Amino acid sequence: MAGPGAASPALVLALLAVATAGVGAQRATVEDPDYYVQELWSREPHDQRPEPELEPFSPLLPEGPGEEEREPRPPQPRPPTRATKPKKAPKREKLYAESPPPPPPPGCPPLGLETLKITDFQLHASTAKRYGLGAHRGRLNIQAGINENDFYDGAWCAGRNDLHQWIEVDARRLTRFTGVITQGRNSLWLSDWVTSYKVMVSNDSHTWVTVKNGSGDMIFEGNSEKEIPVLNELPVPMVARYIRINPQSWFDNGSICLRMEILGCPLPDPNNYYHRRNEMTTTDDLDFKHHNYKEMRQLMKVVNEMCPNITRIYNIGKSHQGVKLYAVEISDHPGEHEVGEPEFHYIAGAHGNEVLGRELLLLLLQFLCQEYLAQNARIVRLVEETRIHIVPSLNPDGYEKAYEGGSELGGWSLGRWTHDGIDINNNFPDLNTLLWEAEDRQNVPRKVPNHHIAIPEWFLSENATVAAETRAVIAWMEKIPFVLGGNLQGGELVVAYPYDMVRSAWKTQEHTPTPDDHVFRWLAYSYASTHRLMTDARRRVCHTEDFQKEEGTVNGASWHTVAGSLNDFSYLHTNCFELSIYVGCDKYPHESELPEEWENNRESLIVFMEQVHRGIKGLVRDLHGKGIPNAIISVEGVNHDVRTASDGDYWRLLNPGEYVVTAKAEGFTTSTKNCMVGYDMGATRCDFTLSKTNLARIREIMEKFGKQPVSLPARRPRLRGRKRRQRRWQHG
């Protein structure tokens, strides 16, 4: 492990290169005091750096060099100290590397209807069909409930279909409005969208000015179907406090319904304490931008060059289009499993259009490297005591589709699936059904164990509908003895824990806990409770679900059933406890939102990793001190076991308490002991030494001398036959 002093010059240069790329996006304006409070985020030891001055926010002007020049902003790495031989990239991978960045939305970022920065109180409408179709539901990409009921429907819908209907946004300060994005109603049963509309602005909500096209009112072309967002740029930016959409025509067989986002730059108001108090910034010098495939690889390389002693880049397989699925390992001994050191992983981007998780993991990579070099004691301890694996983009093919659409124009589902149309999130083998059917037949544990359930043969065949990305993850998880993992998803703000599949076949929602339910609930709460918004009872629900009754957590099956989820597969086939972490309402937030989303999730990402050290750990060895692989560790009262790794080491996540733990292995006597788990962080050491059974010793001795042990059941008939022959001979 290299000392920090030697790496300091390289660190300064590399940090400047990475930070310069993201400095333009390190500011986000928050409008509602009920949702946020003013905070200047800084943590040891980087809080010792001088705090940046809060400069007035300057709106982006439509003329001159604008976002088109700044948007790509690839990080500029410090040249490596030694020449590296360029590697020839696969043809399809090269296509990704050279794909141009998507055109940025014109002028200004979104005000925040989709991200909920704009509150319900800032949205007003002329009329509404009912409460569930009120103005507060007119947000871009908002989803309707399954029943499309009175409370959670999929758009604002006017109470009447005439030219006098409108929906408006109160920006609460003077704003330079530059564009409008609209969608139709999210509905399984109805087809409602607006085909044209006018735009009006006002400073007092009484006197309105209509956007003109020459001498007449400008009519903007709306939607031709209900899901694909349509952007209309204002011919000239308009400065006002209020903006109103006035539908002029709509789908013939439908009603006036729309979802929308407004693009606008709030004007600086240094004398307004309310706005200054709610502006948030970050002191972390990170690369706050969206990274395409080439830029993601480049950023990984930058981190690896900054921290070569604790990082390693490798790939776990390839996507359907042959693109490498890159992982970054962070450890004080990268490339090797250290006996007694737990393995942890983060995965993001299983759904290619849920890109916030991807960017959070890239930010986490940079942060861990920087803080390790700065000798942040907490991060140093985490890196030295944990082997961390991070896969930022599990579905790069899908991401490319979403990236082409861009932040606001990609819609809710573009890029969700793999290139061959598979949803990775529920593409794993359904082991739940195998286990539950066996339990119902009372074949457990003789036929089907409650852990390490084998993958069905049909799933392993080449003809099975299994994504290349899914097979890569399975092989990766079978190779590395992961203890804890989190897969980052988007579109909600909650942590979901297994089981994800209901046990009752006729239900779509049913609380279905695992034998480790209390441990999973704690793991989920450790993330949710340290997130800035997840457990805030005052926050608005993203779409239809209010998760506050469980403090920002939910049992996956009680939310919606999913067969073949990564969480359930991980729990039933490996030792790993896996959870799904939904990191934001907006799947693809605008680049300007990334600093705030990083602050929302940073502490949670670290705290969740630290939970891998909760419970018991130890070695299972024979009398000669050699580790015993595949030994079974059972906890009394918990119907789920784990196995030792190849070196005989194991980890068993448990909440504080006293447990009766048993270690057993084929050919060895069983050993049981009491193990206490305390409240302090750090797993309790609980080792076992197993001696071989008498039969195993006999087998070992006989094999040593080239003989097989006598099988007693086979020998008895021979002995009885010999005795009968002897009796016949004596009496004959």
Side-chain angles (χ1 to χ4, degrees):
M1 184 173 65
S8 295
L11 169 65
V12 172
L13 290 174
L15 282 180
L16 286 174
V18 176
T20 303
V23 71
Q26 293 187 19
R27 190 174 183 85
T29 306
V30 181
E31 303 297 342
D32 189 354
D34 291 336
Y35 280 34
Y36 307 93
V37 293
Q38 184 269 341
E39 292 171 278
L40 182 64
W41 292 91
S42 58
R43 298 170 58 254
E44 281 286 350
H46 57 289
D47 62 350
Q48 297 170 4
R49 297 193 293 265
E51 296 180 354
E53 274 189 42
L54 296 178
E55 300 175 0
F57 184 75
S58 299
L60 299 176
L61 299 176
E63 302 86 5
E67 293 223 357
E68 285 80 0
E69 293 185 8
R70 293 198 305 273
E71 185 76 15
R73 284 204 312 275
Q76 301 297 322
R78 177 178 179 268
T81 53
R82 62 180 185 277
T84 55
K85 184 179 179 180
K87 296 183 179 179
K88 188 176 181 180
K91 289 185 178 180
R92 289 180 179 177
E93 190 171 327
K94 189 175 181 181
L95 288 176
Y96 276 12
E98 294 180 351
S99 60
C108 292
L111 290 187
L113 276 76
E114 185 176 4
T115 61
L116 307 183
K117 189 179 292 186
I118 295 295
T119 71
D120 289 353
F121 301 107
Q122 293 173 258
L123 297 171
H124 308 280
S126 52
T127 60
K129 190 166 289 188
R130 50 184 165 80
Y131 176 77
L133 293 167
H136 65 293
R137 301 296 293 177
R139 300 172 180 272
L140 194 71
N141 286 321
I142 203 164
Q143 302 296 293
I146 295 175
N147 301 319
E148 299 183 21
N149 56 34
D150 285 341
F151 296 101
Y152 298 114
D153 220 321
W156 161 70
C157 290
R160 300 184 299 274
N161 289 338
D162 58 46
L163 299 179
H164 303 293
Q165 305 306 309
W166 48 263
I167 180 172
E168 72 181 37
V169 180
D170 176 6
R172 288 186 173 169
R173 66 192 293 181
L174 286 180
T175 301
R176 182 188 300 271
F177 297 115
T178 62
V180 176
I181 302 172
T182 58
Q183 275 174 317
R185 177 179 178 179
N186 175 247
S187 172
L188 293 173
W189 324 109
L190 300 170
S191 297
D192 298 317
W193 59 82
V194 170
T195 56
S196 67
Y197 58 88
K198 294 180 181 180
V199 176
M200 309 177 189
V201 295
S202 172
N203 284 329
D204 57 9
S205 78
H206 297 292
T207 304
W208 292 89
V209 175
T210 304
V211 175
K212 302 290 184 182
N213 184 12
S215 58
D217 295 346
M218 185 166 186
I219 305 296
F220 293 92
E221 185 176 347
N223 301 87
S224 57
E225 57 89 71
K226 54 190 173 186
E227 287 299 336
I228 299 177
V230 173
L231 165 67
N232 277 295
E233 182 180 2
L234 303 187
V236 177
M238 306 289 287
V239 176
R241 171 174 169 172
Y242 301 88
I243 186 168
R244 176 179 286 185
I245 309 302
N246 172 215
Q248 296 297 296
S249 61
W250 45 93
F251 180 54
D252 289 342
N253 298 322
S255 303
I256 296 177
C257 296
L258 64 80
R259 294 173 285 170
M260 67 177 183
E261 181 62 86
I262 304 297
L263 305 182
C265 297
L267 297 185
D269 189 4
N271 297 321
N272 191 322
Y273 172 74
Y274 167 76
H275 295 300
R276 284 188 290 113
R277 182 170 62 88
N278 286 280
E279 289 177 353
M280 194 200 74
T281 186
T282 179
T283 59
D284 291 340
D285 296 325
L286 307 175
D287 189 19
F288 292 107
K289 69 182 293 292
H290 288 294
H291 298 80
N292 63 20
Y293 188 76
K294 178 181 179 181
E295 293 165 341
M296 180 184 76
R297 291 188 306 168
Q298 182 66 27
L299 182 59
M300 289 178 174
K301 182 181 178 184
V302 169
V303 172
N304 181 239
E305 290 175 352
M306 287 171 60
C307 296
N309 295 327
I310 63 166
T311 60
R312 177 177 71 101
I313 303 172
Y314 66 102
N315 74 81
I316 67 172
K318 292 184 178 180
S319 72
H320 181 267
Q321 289 193 293
V323 178
K324 291 180 180 177
L325 308 176
Y326 281 108
V328 178
E329 176 191 342
I330 302 177
S331 168
D332 58 341
H333 291 87
E336 62 178 284
H337 169 72
E338 298 179 67
V339 177
E341 185 171 290
E343 308 253 3
F344 175 93
H345 73 250
Y346 272 131
I347 300 172
H351 294 150
N353 64 329
E354 295 170 8
V355 307
L356 178 55
R358 171 190 179 118
E359 297 308 328
L360 287 175
L361 292 189
L362 293 178
L363 291 167
L364 180 64
L365 286 175
Q366 302 169 61
F367 181 80
L368 292 176
C369 173
Q370 290 180 10
E371 295 303 295
Y372 184 85
L373 293 175
Q375 290 296 290
N376 180 327
R378 182 187 186 190
I379 301 303
V380 169
R381 183 170 60 252
L382 182 65
V383 171
E384 292 182 349
E385 296 178 359
T386 319
R387 191 180 181 206
I388 303 165
H389 304 256
I390 294 177
V391 179
S393 185
L394 185 58
N395 182 7
D397 298 349
Y399 175 83
E400 288 299 313
K401 294 180 182 178
Y403 189 77
E404 288 171 8
S407 173
E408 275 62 60
L409 303 181
W412 185 253
S413 60
L414 179 66
R416 174 185 177 90
W417 299 279
T418 62
H419 190 265
D420 50 342
I422 297 176
D423 186 339
I424 298 175
N425 197 47
N426 58 355
N427 190 226
F428 293 84
D430 171 16
L431 304 182
N432 305 60
T433 301
L434 293 178
L435 174 64
W436 294 336
E437 287 180 351
E439 288 180 347
D440 292 340
R441 293 194 304 265
Q442 297 182 343
N443 286 341
V444 174
R446 185 171 63 86
K447 290 288 180 66
V448 180
N450 58 14
H451 67 286
H452 285 257
I453 299 175
I455 297 175
E457 289 186 12
W458 67 264
F459 188 90
L460 300 175
S461 70
E462 292 184 2
N463 296 328
T465 307
V466 182
E469 297 86 347
T470 305
R471 295 192 189 277
V473 171
I474 291 175
W476 182 55
M477 296 187 72
E478 288 180 334
K479 181 180 179 181
I480 300 175
F482 290 116
V483 180
L484 178 62
N487 56 89
L488 273 55
Q489 301 189 44
E492 263 299 349
L493 202 55
V494 68
V495 181
Y497 54 90
Y499 289 121
D500 288 333
M501 181 180 175
V502 297
R503 184 155 186 165
S504 303
W506 59 90
K507 293 184 178 180
T508 58
Q509 293 177 310
E510 178 186 39
H511 184 72
T512 312
T514 66
D516 284 288
D517 189 56
H518 292 295
V519 177
F520 274 116
R521 290 165 73 105
W522 167 258
L523 293 170
Y525 184 69
S526 71
Y527 194 100
S529 62
T530 48
H531 189 280
R532 289 184 60 238
L533 298 177
M534 215 172 268
T535 55
D536 186 351
R538 300 170 298 173
R539 76 171 182 88
R540 184 195 186 284
V541 300
C542 291
H543 300 282
T544 64
E545 300 283 349
D546 186 356
F547 299 108
Q548 289 308 308
K549 60 181 179 294
E550 287 192 51
E551 298 285 351
T553 69
V554 68
N555 171 253
S558 67
W559 182 12
H560 54 261
T561 185
V562 174
S565 75
L566 172 57
N567 293 349
D568 290 2
F569 168 79
S570 179
Y571 182 69
L572 294 175
H573 184 68
T574 77
N575 288 340
C576 185
F577 285 40
E578 183 90 18
L579 292 85
S580 293
I581 302 168
Y582 293 80
V583 292
C585 303
D586 188 352
K587 291 183 177 184
Y588 198 150
H590 188 269
E591 195 167 280
S592 62
E593 299 290 333
L594 294 179
E596 182 173 340
E597 293 294 354
W598 167 244
E599 294 297 342
N600 289 342
N601 288 276
R602 178 182 59 191
E603 180 65 16
S604 301
L605 289 166
I606 298 169
V607 166
F608 187 72
M609 284 191 288
E610 292 172 333
Q611 303 313 305
V612 76
H613 297 283
R614 184 174 296 279
I616 60 174
K617 67 176 182 179
L619 285 167
V620 179
R621 293 171 287 200
D622 61 19
L623 294 175
H624 303 289
K626 183 180 178 181
I628 302 174
N630 290 319
I632 296 174
I633 307 297
S634 302
V635 178
E636 186 178 283
V638 182
N639 188 29
H640 183 79
D641 303 336
V642 299
R643 291 185 181 182
T644 57
S646 57
D647 295 308
D649 48 351
Y650 78 92
W651 306 263
R652 196 4 168 140
L653 297 177
L654 292 167
N655 286 345
E658 186 174 355
Y659 299 91
V660 178
V661 184
T662 300
K664 56 185 176 183
E666 186 176 352
F668 292 87
T669 58
T670 299
S671 177
T672 300
K673 60 172 59 176
N674 291 339
C675 302
M676 176 70 73
V677 177
Y679 287 89
D680 295 335
M681 188 58 68
T684 301
R685 190 69 184 260
C686 202
D687 295 330
F688 294 89
T689 300
L690 306 184
S691 58
K692 291 189 175 180
T693 61
N694 290 334
L695 182 59
R697 287 200 190 97
I698 292 171
R699 282 202 181 105
E700 194 175 72
I701 293 170
M702 299 292 283
E703 289 173 1
K704 184 176 181 181
F705 291 98
K707 298 179 180 180
Q708 294 296 323
V710 176
S711 174
L712 292 179
R715 188 182 178 191
R716 286 193 188 103
R718 290 199 299 269
L719 290 175
R720 282 196 294 268
R722 186 182 302 172
K723 288 179 180 179
R724 282 196 298 269
R725 287 194 298 272
Q726 287 176 349
R727 283 196 298 269
R728 284 198 300 268
W729 181 78
Q730 290 172 355
H731 296 290

